[in-house]
Amino acid sequence: MELGPIFRALFRSRTRLFLIVTEIALTLAIVVNCLNMISDQRKYLTRPTGLDEQNLIAVTSQPFAKDFEDDVYVRNSAKEDLEALRAMPGVRAAAMIHAFPLSGGGSATTRRPAGSDREAVTAPYFAVGDGIIETLGVKLAEGRDFIPSDFPPDDAEDEDDRGSGAAPKVTHHNVLVTQALAEAIFPGEDALGKTIENHDGSSQDTIVGVMERMHCSWPISSNYNRTMLLPAKSYSGRQARFLVRAEPGMEDSLYTGIENRLLKLNDGRIVTVRTLEELKLDSMQEVSAIVKMLGAISALLVIVTSLGIVGLTAFSVTQRTRQIGTRRALGATRMAILRFFLVESWVVSALGLGLGLVFTYALNFALSNLANLPVVSFPLVVASMGLLWAVGSLATLASAARGMGISPVVATRTV
């Protein structure tokens, strides 16, 4: 192995060696931390929601006709819409909901054990109508679904703010909560059948069912799985929102058919139909943009580094034309010439990757403290080092192939 000549040749051009080693080191540090940030951001896109996301359609009815100024008309229209949606071919279930999961807009409240002085837990919530469990596709871990008696009558007075406790009188509801919320409120205890309240006790609710999992309205919320369902009237205000759960494979036909169906019932409104996946992607545009930007930065750095290695090898071949010709004249094979440049590239890569390890963990330490990012995993570091090693080897082959083609006669003529 020609390590001696390789090291002597490299250290004769210390500046060039320093630059390429530093470039490889910085590339490793930035790429690893970019990939780590991508992984951290992608968890919002990929974490389980408990919902039948692929088959859920969000429907919004925004009226503009004067008929909708009458409460009775609004109530009857909402019921008629819901019945029409449930009757459409390909609809598995449909329910009223006052805000859509994963949409980026919703409501949150706080809850703690009734009569307790514990700190209240943040609980994103949805006001929902009957049939919501079947519509969402969530699973009950224990307890029961809502029953008709859980829902307030349609002519009941609206509560000012069931979550903030602004209403002067104490309200009571039977509610469903996720296992995560139940554990947060009653750590190590069984929450089923227990009563919870907001910070001032003006809203008290009995837990009648516990859901395995359900995502809230905000995709990047730290409380994403601490969700509560509250039974509500079949309508609220003039605008109506419905979730429709399609049978597998029927989403496309329902997507185009729902608007026409509802407008036939009443065309004094604007009907908006979107899939839950569309709502999720819209609310996560910032996350998607960050992932794309970090991916582009990583790819660009790898390309620039590979070009740097190509340039280094090309320069080395040009400088050593006479040396290569002499070695060929002394019996060196083409593969021996290729091996020489590959080993040289591996030495440079090893120096760069070794320095890059120090840079990687130093940068990650700073990001972890400043931006609360997770510590980079060792497999990610190893995989990134392997990628840069492979890129360096491939980049070397491109220029080393020219050195392999130098014949002894051509080499001596350049002297």
Side-chain angles (χ1 to χ4, degrees), residues 145-156:
D145 192 358
F146 289 125
I147 58 177
S149 60
D150 292 327
F151 296 92
D154 287 332
D155 58 357

Side-chain angles (χ1 to χ4, degrees), residues 18 30 87 114 119 180 223 227 315 339 396-397:
F18 172 79
I30 296 173
E119 184 177 353
N223 298 306
T227 308
F315 185 78
R339 185 177 67 250
T396 300
L397 289 175

Side-chain angles (χ1 to χ4, degrees), residues 100-118:
F100 297 125
L102 304 170
S103 64
S107 302
T109 182
T110 57
R111 288 294 185 269
R112 65 185 179 190
S116 169
D117 58 357
R118 295 184 194 173

Side-chain angles (χ1 to χ4, degrees), residues 114-171:
S116 169
D117 58 357
R118 295 184 194 173
E119 184 177 353
V121 175
T122 299
Y125 73 90
F126 297 93
V128 298
D130 67 294
I132 192 63
I133 294 298
E134 176 65 17
T135 301
L136 293 170
V138 297
K139 297 180 180 178
L140 284 175
E142 56 180 334
R144 62 168 175 84
D145 192 358
F146 289 125
I147 58 177
S149 60
D150 292 327
F151 296 92
D154 287 332
D155 58 357
E157 293 183 3
D158 287 326
E159 298 166 20
D160 295 331
D161 186 348
R162 80 173 78 226
S164 66
K169 62 180 181 180
V170 176
T171 60

Side-chain angles (χ1 to χ4, degrees), residues 324-368:
I324 294 171
T326 302
R327 291 191 62 191
R328 291 296 310 281
L330 293 174
T333 64
R334 292 175 181 269
M335 293 306 299
I337 301 301
L338 175 63
R339 185 177 67 250
F340 178 89
F341 287 108
L342 278 176
V343 172
E344 182 180 76
S345 172
W346 292 342
V347 170
V348 173
S349 295
L351 293 173
L353 294 176
L355 180 62
L357 276 177
V358 178
F359 288 177
T360 296
Y361 283 102
L363 179 59
N364 181 246
F365 178 79
L367 291 174
S368 298

Side-chain angles (χ1 to χ4, degrees), residues 19-101:
L19 290 176
I20 193 65
V21 166
T22 303
E23 182 180 14
I24 293 172
L26 289 174
T27 298
L28 177 66
I30 296 173
V31 167
V32 168
N33 282 282
C34 280
L35 293 177
N36 188 48
M37 285 188 280
I38 288 174
S39 176
D40 184 60
Q41 292 294 311
R42 279 188 59 82
K43 71 184 181 184
Y44 301 122
L45 294 166
T46 59
R47 62 188 180 189
T49 63
L51 307 167
D52 187 10
E53 290 183 61
Q54 295 181 343
N55 297 307
L56 282 176
I57 301 173
V59 183
T60 303
S61 170
Q62 181 66 55
F64 55 80
K66 289 186 177 181
D67 292 339
F68 285 93
E69 295 178 1
D70 180 69
D71 286 345
V72 176
Y73 186 87
V74 171
R75 179 171 65 215
N76 292 336
S77 177
K79 289 182 177 180
E80 188 178 23
D81 289 344
L82 188 56
E83 291 173 1
L85 290 172
R86 289 172 173 172
M88 290 184 68
V91 172
R92 180 172 178 177
M96 181 279 300
I97 192 166
H98 290 183
F100 297 125

